[in-house]
Amino acid sequence: MTQGSDVAYSAATRFAKLRGKNGARVNVLGAGLWGVLDAFLFLGFASFVAWNLYLLAMEPLATTLVWTLLLSIGAVNLFGLVLAVRKNKLVYTAIFYFNLVFFSVAPTQQIRNRFDPIFADLDLLQDAVLMVLVWSILCLIGLRFATRPRAWRSAVPPVVTRQRPLPTLWLASASATAIGCLVVGSSLFSDRETAGKIITSQVGQVGGLLFVGAIFPFACYAAIVGMSIAVKGRNPAAQFAFATAIAGSLVLNNFLILSRYQFSVLVFAGVLFLFNSERAGSRILLSLLGVGTIVAPLFNVFRTGTSLYLGNGGFDMFLTTMDYDAFSLLCHTLRHVETSGIDGGWNIVSGILFFVPRNVWPGKNEITPYYLIDTLRAYRGLWNYNLSEPLIAEGFFAWGAVGAVAIAVAFLALVNRLEGPAIEQLSIRGLFRCASPIIVLMVLRGSFMVGMSIIVGHFVAVSLSIWLAKGSSRRSSS
């Protein structure tokens, strides 16, 4: 295992070369403190991937080809993760982290621990692993085209540094938090099912989608923007006021009644927006993602009251749970298309138009796992279709292999647009970029319809927060 890690690190050092600002070739792993820290992170991830592959190789549960493909997936994504971190590409750091956890280590553990009987179909398993490898290579190619120098323009416009938008932002955040708490009522610290029923009864299904998807996160984004302005203006009183506003908004968006990912989006966005730097942003993100993965079981303890469970094998079974079953759902999608054919893209259209009520469009698709429930019930004994469905599986469900490649290319093109060369911090793109790593994790995990609702909701909340900051400044100066 140590020898394999050394070989992988040597290969990354030899091939990780990119063009610098003047065309000079630079070593991505670099030197000095940052290079040492990056090498430590790389070797840590490489050792974990290699250890799980070694354990799988000790049992005759996968063919040599499947094992080799899993090894290739791990190597490609480890290499991509190093590049993304060194280039401070937040979204690509999240993408390669997702690939490592959900498409490299998790499948390796789940195959070895017989998580899903469908893995016994070695031909199907081989096709799924090959599709993941193609996706990983496309991600690496996408990163290559996103390596132009990026300038984070952190200077705040003069009208903003005069602190004029602060009352508006604080009032907007406090009002959104108060209204949200009134709608949720006594179910604020209950559970998702109870809170969902109360919200729907208060404002209806469409209203509930608006509140949870946009108004709830807006309460936090407005406070984050206000805090950034207060910090840059060195206004201690305003900093305290917005600190309380952020705390109140996180109480409203707590993980007991909402998705853990929504809570994580807001926390990560705040940390990255307030503390991001030209060199440390992706490292902060990677560190938080690693810690978040390790402590994630605690969220289930708080939500369900059950004891903390790491499996009989400890970390050898840590990812053998439904939270990390994206690869399993990919296999079930391949089986569904094999037996029932493609959907023709209606799952994509329905996802984009998620906000259209079913009484207006009776033929709108359900989320894709709904159509996989027969095999999920037969193989895994599942009756609830509120499950994940990875992005490439959505593309395959729509148009087969062509759809999987097409949706991957389209997604990476949008990522490259977000990760462009020049970003003003106090802008819609600047703030949304800080929120996007966790949003991207949710989109990649799926389903597509759920991911689209998250993107649109948070984009509206971010846009409104920035508009209030800049709009109130322009009105005050006129």
Side-chain angles (χ1 to χ4, degrees):
M1 181 180 65
T2 303
Q3 183 179 359
S5 300
D6 292 340
V7 171
Y9 182 75
S10 175
T13 305
R14 186 163 55 253
F15 294 111
K17 304 285 186 178
L18 295 174
R19 292 287 179 183
K21 294 182 179 180
N22 299 320
R25 297 186 68 82
V26 294
N27 193 327
V28 176
L29 289 176
L33 178 60
W34 290 122
V36 171
L37 291 175
D38 292 344
F40 177 78
L41 288 171
F42 176 82
L43 290 174
F45 279 108
S47 299
F48 190 53
V49 172
W51 173 247
N52 281 277
L53 285 169
Y54 169 77
L55 293 177
L56 178 62
M58 294 297 101
E59 300 185 31
L61 297 174
T63 63
T64 302
L65 178 58
V66 169
W67 189 92
T68 303
L69 291 173
L70 285 171
L71 174 64
S72 301
I73 292 169
V76 168
N77 287 293
L78 279 168
F79 182 65
L81 185 63
V82 172
L83 296 184
V85 169
R86 293 295 293 178
K87 299 301 294 182
N88 200 28
K89 297 297 182 182
L90 297 178
V91 181
Y92 273 104
T93 298
I95 289 173
F96 286 112
Y97 183 85
F98 174 90
N99 290 346
L100 275 175
V101 172
F102 286 83
F103 282 155
S104 178
V105 181
T108 303
Q109 291 191 359
Q110 291 170 10
I111 292 170
R112 187 173 62 84
N113 292 297
R114 299 174 176 85
F115 173 76
D116 189 338
I118 201 171
F119 295 151
D121 187 338
L122 296 180
D123 291 334
L124 180 69
L125 182 64
Q126 176 181 312
D127 291 341
V129 174
L130 182 60
M131 184 181 296
V132 171
L133 179 59
V134 172
W135 155 252
S136 301
I137 293 172
L138 287 174
C139 292
L140 199 58
I141 295 172
L143 176 60
R144 174 62 184 86
F145 285 99
T147 53
R148 293 176 297 170
R150 181 187 59 78
W152 180 280
R153 298 201 296 266
S154 59
V156 180
V159 291
V160 176
T161 57
R162 297 191 187 110
Q163 312 290 286
R164 285 172 177 162
L166 295 186
T168 302
L169 287 168
W170 189 90
L171 183 61
S173 174
S175 299
T177 299
I179 293 172
C181 289
L182 287 175
V183 171
V184 177
S186 60
S187 65
L188 183 60
F189 298 106
S190 57
D191 56 74
R192 290 179 63 180
E193 183 177 358
T194 302
K197 289 179 179 179
I198 290 179
I199 293 173
T200 302
S201 66
Q202 292 282 349
V203 296
Q205 187 170 4
V206 176
L209 187 65
L210 174 65
F211 266 83
V212 174
I215 296 177
F216 283 21
F218 165 72
C220 191
Y221 286 127
I224 290 171
V225 172
M227 174 64 85
S228 176
I229 297 172
V231 169
K232 292 182 182 300
R234 298 181 180 180
N235 188 334
Q239 292 175 33
F240 176 79
F242 281 106
T244 59
I246 291 174
S249 67
L250 291 178
V251 170
L252 173 64
N253 288 276
N254 73 79
F255 56 81
L256 296 174
I257 62 172
L258 300 179
S259 167
R260 290 170 293 176
Y261 282 98
Q262 172 137 322
F263 181 82
S264 300
V265 167
L266 300 174
V267 172
F268 276 65
V271 171
L272 294 173
F273 190 72
L274 295 174
F275 302 105
N276 191 24
S277 72
E278 188 65 27
R279 304 190 68 181
S282 58
R283 295 175 178 88
I284 293 172
L285 172 64
L286 184 58
S287 301
L288 292 176
L289 286 173
V291 172
T293 301
I294 293 172
V295 303
L298 292 174
F299 286 95
N300 286 331
V301 173
F302 293 132
R303 289 174 62 170
T304 64
T306 58
S307 59
L308 184 63
Y309 174 70
L310 296 180
N312 294 329
F315 280 98
D316 295 340
M317 294 184 65
F318 188 77
L319 303 180
T320 310
T321 69
M322 287 183 62
D323 288 336
Y324 302 96
D325 65 350
F327 182 78
S328 170
L329 268 293
L330 174 61
C331 292
H332 283 276
T333 302
L334 295 180
R335 173 57 53 81
H336 174 87
V337 171
E338 178 185 305
T339 57
S340 304
I342 61 176
D343 182 59
W346 287 109
N347 59 319
I348 305 300
V349 175
S350 299
I352 294 172
L353 301 178
F354 69 92
F355 52 86
V356 178
R358 295 192 184 277
N359 56 2
V360 176
W361 182 11
K364 187 172 77 169
N365 274 25
E366 299 284 349
I367 60 175
T368 301
Y370 172 85
Y371 304 98
L372 312 177
I373 196 64
D374 288 341
T375 59
L376 289 170
R377 185 181 301 141
Y379 282 96
R380 293 176 53 186
L382 298 177
W383 294 82
N384 182 4
Y385 58 86
N386 186 22
L387 301 167
S388 61
E389 176 75 351
L391 186 65
I392 55 175
E394 293 277 8
F396 193 88
F397 185 84
W399 299 294
V402 173
V405 173
I407 200 169
V409 171
F411 171 77
L412 293 171
L414 292 174
V415 169
N416 283 2
R417 176 67 177 171
L418 185 63
E419 290 274 33
I423 301 176
E424 179 185 344
Q425 183 179 15
L426 195 65
S427 65
I428 294 173
R429 186 174 159 209
L431 178 55
F432 192 75
R433 179 177 179 268
C434 293
S436 60
I438 309 302
I439 293 177
V440 161
L441 292 180
M442 299 164 78
V443 173
L444 291 178
R445 185 174 181 263
S447 64
F448 183 73
M449 189 178 296
V450 173
M452 284 301 302
S453 67
I454 292 167
I455 290 174
V456 172
H458 282 264
F459 185 80
V460 169
V462 165
S463 301
L464 183 56
S465 300
I466 297 298
W467 178 81
L468 284 176
K470 292 189 171 182
S472 58
S473 295
R474 285 194 293 267
R475 289 191 299 271
S476 299
S477 59
S478 61

